[in-house]
């Protein structure tokens, strides 16, 4: 799952670009949620795990 999250979006690069910015935490949560949603749609067998992880990170 983590591999997909990193592979589908330049995840770390996007987060690095937010370093020190106001609202970074909220932006990071939103990005993670959208990535989990995209992974769940692309890989339906992972959808339940994506929902679980998204809920844990709120």
């Amino acid at each position: 799952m983590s591999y997909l999250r990193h592979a589908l979006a330049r995840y770390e690069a996007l987060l690095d670009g937010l370093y020190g910015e106001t609202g970074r935490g909220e932006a990071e949560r939103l990005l993670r949620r959208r990535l989990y949603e995209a992974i769940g749609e692309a890989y339906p067998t992972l959808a339940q795990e994506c929902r679980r992880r998204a809920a844990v990170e709120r």
Side-chain angles (χ1 to χ4, degrees):
M1 178 75 68
S2 294
Y3 168 79
L4 289 173
R5 187 179 67 199
H6 291 284
L8 291 177
R10 299 170 319 246
Y11 187 74
E12 293 298 327
L14 290 170
L15 293 179
D16 287 345
L18 297 173
Y19 180 76
E21 297 292 324
T22 302
R24 180 185 190 274
E26 183 59 30
E28 191 173 335
R29 282 186 288 280
L30 178 61
L31 178 59
R32 280 195 182 115
R33 191 186 86 223
R34 288 183 178 175
L35 286 171
Y36 285 132
E37 287 172 358
I39 291 168
E41 288 177 21
Y43 301 93
T45 57
L46 298 176
Q48 183 176 357
E49 177 63 12
C50 288
R51 285 190 298 273
R52 185 193 70 77
R53 288 187 185 207
V56 168
E57 293 186 11
R58 287 188 178 163

